[in-house]
Structures are given as C-alpha cells and as structure tokens.
Amino acid sequence: MKNHEKLTGMIAATFTPFKENGDVNLAEIEKYAKWIASTPIKGVFVCGTTGEFSSLTVSERKSILEKWIIEANREFKVIAHVGSNCQKASIELAKHALDVEADAISSLAPSFFKPGSVTDLIDYFVPIAQAAPSLPFYYYNMPAMTGVNLPVNEFLKEAKKRIPNLMGTKFTHNNLMEMGQCLNVDDHSFEVLHGYDEILISGLAMGAIAGVGSTYNYIPEIYDGIFRSMQENDLKTARDLQMKSIQVVEVIIKYGGGVRGGKAIMNHIGINCGDCRSPISPFSSKEGELLRKDLDEINFSELYNKIVY
C-alpha cells in the first residue's frame, strides 16, 4: 500500500466500558483516550477480545469505534477489529471502519464454523479486506480462542496474492518458531504484531517491532521500558521489567484472566470500565478488596507513572 507506515511499539487492546445496567458507556472513552494519549502507547486495538467484541452488537461496535476515532483526534492510531462469525457482519464493519477513517482493520478467523484449510481462510477474508481496500488488513491469529490453528506463514504468503492490503498478522500465540517463520516470509515483508504480553521480550528478540496487548493499558511504562531496553540490547533490564509484568499477569489470571481481571484493574486506576457482560461474572466487592491487596503486595502503584481521576 502507498505511504503505509509500519506499526511500532505498543498498541493497547482496549476494554469496552459498560454502565451498571450493561449499556456501553461511550462517555468514559473520552477519559480513556486522554489516558492513552498521556502514555507512550502508539495506538489502540478496538473491539477485540479484550473489548468483548462477541458480546457486542454490530451497532454498538460501530459507535465504540466512532467514539475512539473522535477522541483519539489523530494523536494515536485506531485499529478496528471487524472479526465475527458472520462474514457479512465483518464486511459491514470493515466498510464502516473505512468510512469513519480508522487507521487499519483486523479480523479473527470464524470460530464456530471453522475454515479447514489456508485456502478456506483466505476465501473468508478476501471480501472483508476488499470492503476497506485502502486500509491495512491484519489477520488476527489467536488459536487458543478460535480453535483455528492453520500455518500463519503459509497464510501470509498465499493470501497476499489475493489480498493486496494484507500487511501482516496480530500473532497471539506462544509458538515462537511459527512467529519467526512469519517474520521471514518474503524477506521480512510482513508485520508481526506480538500478542502475548508476558513474553514480549521473546517476540522482540525474534524481530517483532510492535505488540498488541491488554496489560499495556495500565502498566505502559513497564512495556515501554522493555521495548527500549531490547533496542539498546540491555537484556538484564528487559528481563527485570518482564518479570514485573508477569507478576501483574499472575494477578489477573487469579481473578478470571485478562478481560475480567484487567477490567477490574482499569477501574482501580480510575477509568470506569464497569463489569464484563454475561457470561463473564461481575466483580464482587470482596473480590475488589482482595484484588487491591494482591496489587499492593506486588507494589503495583510503582509500576505506572500516574493514576487517572
């Protein structure tokens, strides 16, 4: 694509704020965006797994993306996740992302009726990418969630022949051999966005230069330090910072994982994301107390540079 700039650094996978009644809280995105703009984060990945996309209507996803684009005000990039089990819904979302001037689109593979081959996966994505032909398209590879475990390097090589705007993959997998294969396709012509926060240094060591992660939202300084330390070949600092991020990941796993536990941490730092939608259970006041205690034990308040009020 003409004038395409590769993604670099941190892309935060954003949470979707909800009100107490379960409605989307669009107003909170203004504060959220100001927080993102105040950090070293380079962009946001909207309505992905962290954003509970599968629990949102198409209309809600459109309104959330529109709000993020308005509040970002071109201070950071906005990538729209348009994936769905319904191809027509994904096409509609991709067209909308183009209309509202998102910076890029990305899509998971369908996870109910699954593609059985690389060709099937390409066939599924072609009309979605064509719906926004001037936007970079990234295949969101997350086999742990989709159950689609097709070779991504083969997909990149073959899909480029039919998807001119294919720029790379959001690689949310711990198969670093496959990640290296993806980076090596066509003389490093594809972007590979690292997707596992707790092993970021491994992805950077393989050659990735950007990552998409949920924990970037609340400890961006830790990950910015990892990026800078790896660039400077300061492995000791990078390892020390990675271990700090792992401590946080251990806490969120204890409270239901990156979406449920991470959302509770966002509430803790002052961005009101509310609870998750059903079937993810709401956070109890007792859990909130225990979470704060666990965060205090790892000196969480020292891991980020400011609290949002």
Side-chain angles (χ1 to χ4, degrees), residues 2 79 117 132 152 221 267 270 276 284 299:
K2 292 182 179 179
I79 301 168
S117 67
V152 184
E221 297 295 336
N267 294 331
C276 299
S284 68
N299 297 313

Side-chain angles (χ1 to χ4, degrees), residues 143-200:
M145 292 293 282
T146 64
V148 177
N149 205 359
L150 298 168
V152 184
N153 55 311
E154 290 184 20
F155 168 83
L156 293 173
K157 190 171 184 178
E158 294 303 316
K160 190 65 175 180
K161 299 172 184 176
R162 298 178 58 197
I163 306 176
N165 52 332
L166 175 65
M167 293 295 114
T169 177
K170 179 183 181 297
F171 195 85
T172 307
H173 195 11
N174 56 10
N175 185 340
L176 295 174
M177 173 179 166
E178 185 179 31
M179 185 181 197
Q181 291 172 320
C182 292
L183 285 161
N184 199 49
V185 170
D186 291 344
D187 195 26
H188 301 263
S189 62
F190 289 103
E191 298 170 59
V192 178
L193 314 178
H194 181 86
Y196 268 162
D197 307 3
E198 60 270 32
I199 55 170
L200 175 61

